[in-house]
């Protein structure tokens, strides 16, 4: 099922990635090394791109005016929070399914920089605020729990460290 979801993502994004549309996989097929590289490049480019951004947050006063990076230090990159979380999930899936791919090390470094206990705690603090409890519910949180699930079921030392870092978000 997850491979089908990743392949569907490939099909949807094909028009935006030069070279990806040339050889589209059939639904359920594995990605080629070139396709893995293109998806990794897309997510890695956006993981640390703060703007443009559509925060969609509720502001209760002047103190609520913060940059996307301040509100969401782990998941600010991309256009919105759920796309950022989705990008992190995609990177994890890529290295889990293609462990020997040349992009593996670069992906791991990016995830190490983003999925830290300190950054995730700031994310959790944001969601603990009364007006933010419903932010990105359900769609964004569905991607967060997909990310947690793929990490939880992968017995890789990096994956387990990232999994542990995400725990504060689970109980909110």
């Amino acid at each position: 099922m997850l491979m089908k979801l990743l392949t569907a993502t490939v099909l949807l994004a094909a028009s935006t990635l030069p070279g990806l549309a040339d050889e589209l996989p059939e639904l359920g097929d594995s990605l080629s090394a070139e396709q893995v590289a293109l998806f990794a490049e897309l997510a890695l480019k956006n993981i640390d791109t703060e703007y443009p951004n559509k925060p969609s947050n509720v502001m209760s006063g002047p103190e609520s005016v913060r940059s996307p990076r301040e509100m969401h230090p782990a998941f600010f990159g991309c256009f919105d929070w759920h796309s950022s979380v989705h990008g992190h999930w995609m990177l994890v899936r890529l290295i889990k399914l293609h462990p020997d791919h040349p992009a593996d090390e670069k992906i791991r470094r990016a995830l190490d920089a983003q999925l830290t206990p300190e950054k995730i705690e700031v994310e959790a603090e944001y969601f603990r605020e009364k007006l933010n409890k419903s932010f990105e519910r359900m769609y964004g949180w569905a991607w967060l729990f997909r990310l947690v699930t793929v990490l939880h079921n992968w017995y890789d030392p990096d994956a387990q460290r990232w999994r542990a870092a995400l725990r504060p978000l689970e109980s909110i």
Side-chain angles (χ1 to χ4, degrees), residues 90-151:
M90 182 173 68
L91 289 171
V92 169
R93 287 288 293 167
L94 288 172
I95 61 174
K96 184 176 182 182
L97 294 174
H98 305 275
D100 298 323
H101 193 276
D104 182 89
E105 187 177 323
K106 190 173 183 180
I107 292 171
R108 287 176 186 271
R109 281 195 312 267
L111 292 170
D112 274 341
Q114 295 304 111
L115 301 179
T116 68
E118 298 79 17
K119 288 183 177 182
I120 298 302
E121 184 53 37
V122 174
E123 296 273 353
E125 287 172 15
Y126 176 87
F127 288 103
R128 288 182 191 117
E129 295 176 24
K130 183 179 180 182
L131 292 174
N132 297 331
K133 289 194 181 289
S134 65
F135 178 78
E136 288 285 349
R137 303 264 181 174
M138 292 310 302
Y139 187 73
W141 282 81
W143 279 115
L144 177 70
F145 291 129
R146 295 304 301 167
L147 174 59
V148 166
T149 299
V150 74
L151 291 170

Side-chain angles (χ1 to χ4, degrees), residues 17-138:
L17 293 172
L20 195 60
D22 297 340
E23 286 186 43
L24 291 177
E26 293 293 321
L27 192 60
D29 286 353
S30 292
L31 300 177
S32 70
E34 180 184 13
Q35 290 165 333
V36 171
L38 288 167
F39 271 100
E41 179 184 333
L42 174 68
L44 289 168
K45 176 184 173 202
N46 287 302
I47 203 169
D48 199 31
T49 300
E50 188 170 10
Y51 298 105
N53 199 296
K54 181 182 170 244
S56 301
N57 60 304
V58 175
M59 292 197 256
S60 60
E63 71 283 353
S64 298
V65 179
R66 297 183 282 172
S67 73
R69 187 184 303 254
E70 289 173 307
M71 291 184 289
H72 303 291
F75 301 119
F76 66 87
C78 233
F79 186 65
D80 48 40
W81 192 83
H82 63 264
S83 296
S84 181
V85 176
H86 183 183
H88 285 73
W89 171 84
M90 182 173 68
L91 289 171
V92 169
R93 287 288 293 167
L94 288 172
I95 61 174
K96 184 176 182 182
L97 294 174
H98 305 275
D100 298 323
H101 193 276
D104 182 89
E105 187 177 323
K106 190 173 183 180
I107 292 171
R108 287 176 186 271
R109 281 195 312 267
L111 292 170
D112 274 341
Q114 295 304 111
L115 301 179
T116 68
E118 298 79 17
K119 288 183 177 182
I120 298 302
E121 184 53 37
V122 174
E123 296 273 353
E125 287 172 15
Y126 176 87
F127 288 103
R128 288 182 191 117
E129 295 176 24
K130 183 179 180 182
L131 292 174
N132 297 331
K133 289 194 181 289
S134 65
F135 178 78
E136 288 285 349
R137 303 264 181 174
M138 292 310 302

